Amino acid sequence: MIIDFLSGQSPIMQALFATLFTWFVTALGAGIVFFFNNVDRRILDSMLGFASGVMIAASFWSLLAPAIETAENQGVPGWIPAVVGFLLGGIFLRLVDAVLPHLHPALANSEPEGIKTKWQRSVLLVLAVTLHNFPEGLAVGVAFGAVASNIPSASLAGAVALAVGIGLQNFPEGAAVSIPLKREGLSSKKSFMYGQFSGAVEPVAGVLGAAAVYYMRPILPYALAFAAGAMIFVVGEELIPEANSEGNSHLATTGLMLGFAVMMFLDVSLG
């Protein structure tokens, strides 16, 4: 039913609907703040590990593999756009990470990163998650744009599977920002609003990604690899270190394995 509905839409509208869904799941995760003042750290670390596994699997099955296939169909050695785009995605996130003022939820007692600013800590916490939600929305948008390019390995069902996987891992991310905000002294309502707002960048990135590859198809393999590199940067820079910061490495690793398996199943079975 969902596939039938999306099949009648343009790639840009498909990406918009899909990333609105991922934003909605972020809001669901942020809504935990209305019921709990804290979340058991073991549960949160397991969920962050799960999110890492989803993003790693999605980076290959939904992004890098189609990037290689697309490049070869264009008569270009598949490894060139895969490697170049992948590294550019990581470099881009690193540059933004170095400039944009933000404060990681797991390191809330440390000094903010990025340029110096007098912004409130609550804003810096939200910006950290917002920064890392951008490549997720971009990945979904590029995936739907790839479907319009008629790549054999890119299917509408596969793009939907990617959106579902990103949505699943957005739940703990929403909780990971709203709970620290409440501990910072904000009300439950404000913590929820800030927490869900961190996912608002995903529809913007999704539409931009879909439009870019739809109207400039030669860049498609580079865009797919770019999104993969940006997501892997987030996993290595933020999710895995945060999931292991409280000594729950076994739970985090188990979550990572399960997240990878779930995303692999969704992509291969539906794609």
Side-chain angles (χ1 to χ4, degrees):
M1 183 176 179
I2 295 176
I3 301 295
D4 292 337
F5 169 74
L6 290 175
S7 63
Q9 308 294 325
S10 70
I12 295 174
M13 291 303 299
Q14 290 171 350
L16 176 61
F17 287 127
T19 47
L20 285 174
F21 163 75
T22 61
W23 180 13
F24 173 72
V25 181
T26 303
L28 287 180
I32 285 182
V33 77
F34 289 114
F35 306 99
F36 303 99
N37 292 325
N38 205 347
V39 176
D40 188 302
R41 188 67 207 195
R42 293 171 298 178
I43 296 176
L44 181 59
D45 288 343
S46 299
M47 295 173 73
L48 289 172
F50 182 89
S52 300
V54 168
M55 293 178 70
I56 292 172
S59 294
F60 175 74
W61 298 103
S62 299
L63 299 170
L64 285 174
I68 294 171
E69 180 181 352
T70 304
E72 292 175 344
N73 290 339
Q74 294 176 350
V76 178
W79 65 268
I80 294 178
V83 171
V84 172
F86 183 84
L87 292 178
L88 286 177
I91 291 171
F92 173 76
L93 258 290
R94 178 64 186 93
L95 291 175
V96 176
D97 192 71
V99 174
L100 182 71
H102 62 283
L103 182 63
H104 297 296
L107 305 173
N109 294 323
S110 64
E111 290 297 317
E113 297 181 10
I115 61 175
K116 300 297 181 182
T117 179
K118 295 183 179 180
W119 292 350
Q120 295 181 347
R121 290 170 61 84
S122 57
V123 175
L124 297 178
L125 285 167
V126 174
L127 285 176
V129 181
T130 301
L131 166 64
H132 294 159
N133 278 341
F134 182 85
E136 298 167 11
L138 181 66
V140 173
V142 169
F144 279 99
V147 175
S149 298
N150 298 318
I151 305 170
S153 63
S155 67
L156 184 57
V160 171
L162 175 61
V164 171
I166 295 297
L168 288 175
Q169 63 90 44
N170 272 358
F171 187 88
E173 288 190 354
V177 66
S178 64
I179 294 296
L181 287 174
K182 191 169 185 179
R183 291 202 298 265
E184 287 283 317
L186 273 68
S187 66
S188 296
K189 184 177 180 180
K190 284 188 176 181
S191 298
F192 166 75
M193 291 303 296
Y194 278 126
Q196 64 82 30
F197 181 75
S198 67
V201 70
E202 293 195 5
V204 176
V207 168
L208 289 176
V213 300
Y214 183 67
Y215 292 110
M216 295 179 287
R217 296 193 180 188
I219 72 167
L220 176 57
Y222 294 92
L224 287 164
F226 181 95
M231 289 216 297
I232 293 298
F233 179 90
V234 170
V235 172
E237 171 77 6
E238 173 66 16
L239 294 183
I240 290 179
E242 183 173 344
N244 287 276
S245 63
E246 297 293 328
N248 297 316
S249 60
H250 293 305
L251 289 173
T253 302
T254 300
L256 186 150
M257 297 293 291
L258 289 174
F260 189 98
V262 167
M263 188 66 237
M264 181 169 57
F265 165 76
L266 288 174
D267 199 289
V268 176
S269 63
L270 295 179

